[in-house]
Amino acid sequence: MTEARRATLRDIATALGLSVNTVSRALGDKDSVSPKTRAAVQAEAARIGYVPNTLARSLVLGSAMTLGLVITNPSNPFYAQLISSIELRVRAQGYSLLLLVTDESAENEQRATEALLRSAVDGAVVVPVQAEWDHWRRVRDAGIPLVFVNRDVPELDCDMVGVDNERGSYEATSHLIAGGARRLLVLEEDLPITTTADRVAGFRRAMSDAGLKVSDDSIRAVPTKRYDSLALPWQPEEAYRFARTLVSEGNHPDGIVTGNDYFALGLLRVLAELGLEVPGDVAVTGYGDHPYAGYLQTPLTTVRLPAAEVGTTAVDLLLQRLRSTVTERPRKTLIRPELVVRASSRTARPSQSAAAGRAERGGG
């Protein structure tokens, strides 16, 4: 029995009467090959089952032709979109992708950096845990370019691409204020990460610009199950329990800014159970624009995050670093999110006394 032989570029070239160089350029989408020739080469490659030998190509080019992607939580819808956009961009550029998940664990992140070094990737896109950074210094000093995504590590002075979270929170808060809200608070997660800090900063700035006071009670950190099971996304029941406690304390805001749509989901249920109207008594905004946000009984005003644009921008910046012979200073790129206005914040608010009265009846 004859052992199957791997199809080669020469097999395609012989079948079509072309040179191996022409076949290689056609499969590499080089402009010097006519569309007709490219189509013929691609058809023959598919017919004989040709698969590029990435190891051989790596030896020729002096490159692993592989990029690393280190992600904290792939169940987070933002990061799920990010992974998809990065994989598509990487594949279109002829690279493979090595995906490593840390689950917000500094120990897992250190293991990920060891895997990057062993795999000799050309570069890496990284969502850092932000607990430590010496292991990332080792990767950078080994000559592997890094682009941090969504969270920065200022100590390393590397490229960073992310969402302008301060701007997103500022616009959401300003929107509620413009609609008449004056007693606002923000529900944020309690992880010590820059994305949370940036959203709180946006809330503070919007309140300050409107001449409204921000007290310690205005900023509430919601306990998150991600400490117990870090692979989970945010859970609505965390905000649900927290909001019930908040209202039972007699705190009756007329505007609530949440740091993610899951928190908003739990909050909306509490408000409905207490007989509070949204947005009549309490206006609510989310953050993330997850698929369900527009299909709730009261569609949710939220901030849409440009996950795909962040991903492709990060890959393009990393490839520029790999292909450039000129050393440039690291770039910090923040992409503006979009406020999506829906019914949870659309109308003006009633008087303070009317809202408080309804809250007392609902909390019976």
Side-chain angles (χ1 to χ4, degrees), residues 75-154:
S75 64
N76 180 326
F78 174 83
Y79 290 135
Q81 293 178 52
L82 187 78
I83 292 170
S84 178
S85 66
I86 288 175
E87 197 278 331
L88 287 172
R89 196 66 149 202
V90 165
R91 178 156 35 97
Q93 296 297 319
Y95 284 76
S96 299
L97 188 68
L98 174 64
L99 175 63
L100 300 163
V101 177
T102 64
D103 283 338
E104 296 285 4
S105 162
E107 183 178 353
N108 288 344
E109 188 174 72
Q110 290 184 20
R111 293 194 187 100
T113 59
E114 295 298 328
L116 292 176
L117 291 168
R118 289 195 305 271
S119 302
V121 297
D122 297 303
V125 175
V126 177
V127 179
V129 173
Q130 291 189 309
E132 302 171 12
W133 54 84
D134 282 346
H135 44 281
W136 289 121
R137 191 190 308 277
R138 284 185 57 213
V139 175
R140 184 201 62 182
D141 292 349
I144 299 175
L146 300 172
V147 177
F148 292 115
V149 169
N150 211 37
R151 308 174 186 176
D152 199 6
V153 182

Side-chain angles (χ1 to χ4, degrees), residues 41-68:
V41 169
Q42 291 173 343
E44 180 63 15
R47 188 187 71 80
I48 67 174
Y50 170 76
V51 178
N53 187 330
T54 55
L55 176 60
R57 186 182 180 197
S58 297
L59 293 173
V60 171
L61 298 176
S63 164
M65 295 303 292
T66 300
L67 301 180

Side-chain angles (χ1 to χ4, degrees), residues 119-200:
S119 302
V121 297
D122 297 303
V125 175
V126 177
V127 179
V129 173
Q130 291 189 309
E132 302 171 12
W133 54 84
D134 282 346
H135 44 281
W136 289 121
R137 191 190 308 277
R138 284 185 57 213
V139 175
R140 184 201 62 182
D141 292 349
I144 299 175
L146 300 172
V147 177
F148 292 115
V149 169
N150 211 37
R151 308 174 186 176
D152 199 6
V153 182
E155 294 82 2
L156 295 188
D157 200 25
C158 293
D159 293 312
M160 182 267 182
V161 179
V163 176
D164 191 345
N165 285 298
E166 182 178 353
R167 180 62 178 262
S169 180
Y170 178 89
E171 291 187 358
T173 306
S174 297
H175 170 69
L176 293 188
I177 294 171
R182 292 297 178 268
R183 302 180 315 284
L184 289 89
L185 61 81
V186 59
L187 297 185
E188 266 296 351
E189 62 178 331
D190 57 356
L191 288 180
I193 53 180
T194 54
T195 46
T196 296
D198 289 344
R199 288 193 296 265
V200 170

Side-chain angles (χ1 to χ4, degrees), residues 175-326:
H175 170 69
L176 293 188
I177 294 171
R182 292 297 178 268
R183 302 180 315 284
L184 289 89
L185 61 81
V186 59
L187 297 185
E188 266 296 351
E189 62 178 331
D190 57 356
L191 288 180
I193 53 180
T194 54
T195 46
T196 296
D198 289 344
R199 288 193 296 265
V200 170
F203 174 82
R204 287 184 177 275
R205 183 163 64 89
M207 294 286 282
S208 175
D209 287 353
L212 298 175
K213 181 181 178 182
V214 177
S215 66
D216 291 340
D217 288 341
S218 301
I219 301 170
R220 300 298 186 100
V222 179
T224 171
K225 280 187 177 178
R226 289 208 282 165
Y227 279 129
D228 302 322
S229 182
L230 294 170
L232 292 172
W234 307 283
Q235 298 296 298
E237 61 263 27
E238 297 161 9
Y240 174 81
R241 288 194 298 269
F242 191 85
R244 283 202 69 92
T245 301
L246 186 69
V247 175
S248 68
E249 293 173 351
N251 194 323
H252 301 305
D254 56 5
I256 301 178
V257 179
T258 65
N260 61 74
D261 289 350
Y262 290 100
F263 284 178
L265 189 60
L267 172 63
L268 289 174
R269 178 173 173 179
V270 168
L271 296 175
E273 290 177 354
L274 297 178
L276 293 169
E277 296 179 1
V278 176
D281 296 321
V282 185
V284 175
T285 63
Y287 206 89
D289 195 28
H290 298 320
Y292 62 79
Y295 296 92
L296 300 172
Q297 185 171 357
T298 302
L300 180 65
T301 292
T302 185
V303 177
R304 180 177 295 159
L305 304 180
E309 188 176 356
V310 169
T312 55
T313 301
V315 172
D316 290 347
L317 182 54
L318 181 58
L319 292 178
Q320 287 175 27
R321 290 291 181 198
L322 291 172
R323 294 165 178 169
S324 177
T325 58
V326 180

